[in-house]
Amino acid sequence: MSKLALTVTLLIGLLFGAVGGYALSQKLIIARGGGATMGFVPLANQLIEEPEVRQMTICAKLAMNQGQKIDNLALNLRLNRFLMSMDDGSQRPFFALIFAKAYLMGLADSLPQSGESAGEYRCDELTWLYKVDS
């Protein structure tokens, strides 16, 4: 066989292999439930719309932006409470919480960094959030 025939055969083989591999991987992802992403967006949206999650996360970020120390452990434990009802044995609720927390912290960064914003979200009610220097 000539070099041209070998090159063309190689390229056709690579093309068929790529198409076949892509199709097979898509079929496997669908068979496994979409890579555990089905329902992720509604779950994350449910967390974002939850008033307590919004308040805790936004107040924590506002406090951090003002240089205050917060109790991250207490914050995460309280946020994880919202995952109990959503727990289906997958990591999806946990990743939805991470996404919601990041989104809400970004939202807090877009707010005016003043006492007005903290007052709007009633941050003074969350006495457990702020660490006391000892």
Side-chain angles (χ1 to χ4, degrees):
M1 285 178 87
S2 70
K3 275 187 163 182
L4 180 61
L6 284 173
T7 305
V8 169
T9 305
L10 176 67
L11 290 175
I12 290 172
L14 286 173
L15 180 65
F16 280 133
V19 169
Y22 178 77
L24 183 62
S25 72
Q26 292 303 308
K27 200 158 194 76
L28 287 173
I29 289 172
I30 290 169
R32 292 191 65 220
T37 58
M38 301 298 274
F40 175 82
V41 173
L43 197 61
N45 190 49
Q46 181 182 349
L47 286 167
I48 290 169
E49 295 299 322
E50 183 69 43
E52 290 176 77
V53 173
R54 288 179 76 87
Q55 179 191 26
M56 288 187 285
T57 309
I58 289 175
C59 289
K61 184 60 176 165
L62 288 173
M64 287 188 292
N65 288 348
Q66 294 173 357
Q68 295 178 351
K69 292 186 186 241
I70 64 163
D71 190 348
N72 276 309
L73 180 61
L75 174 64
N76 288 330
L77 288 173
R78 282 178 168 80
L79 288 173
N80 283 335
R81 271 196 335 228
F82 290 93
L83 297 181
M84 287 182 200
S85 64
M86 303 171 187
D87 189 10
D88 60 357
S90 70
Q91 290 288 322
R92 192 175 334 151
F94 178 70
F95 291 130
L97 179 62
I98 292 171
F99 175 83
K101 191 174 175 184
Y103 173 83
L104 291 170
M105 287 199 171
L107 180 66
D109 280 336
S110 71
L111 295 173
Q113 303 298 308
S114 65
E116 261 182 51
S117 295
E120 181 182 335
Y121 285 95
R122 300 182 324 271
C123 295
D124 55 339
E125 294 175 6
L126 304 177
T127 56
W128 55 265
L129 181 62
Y130 309 101
K131 277 191 173 180
V132 178
D133 292 329
S134 40

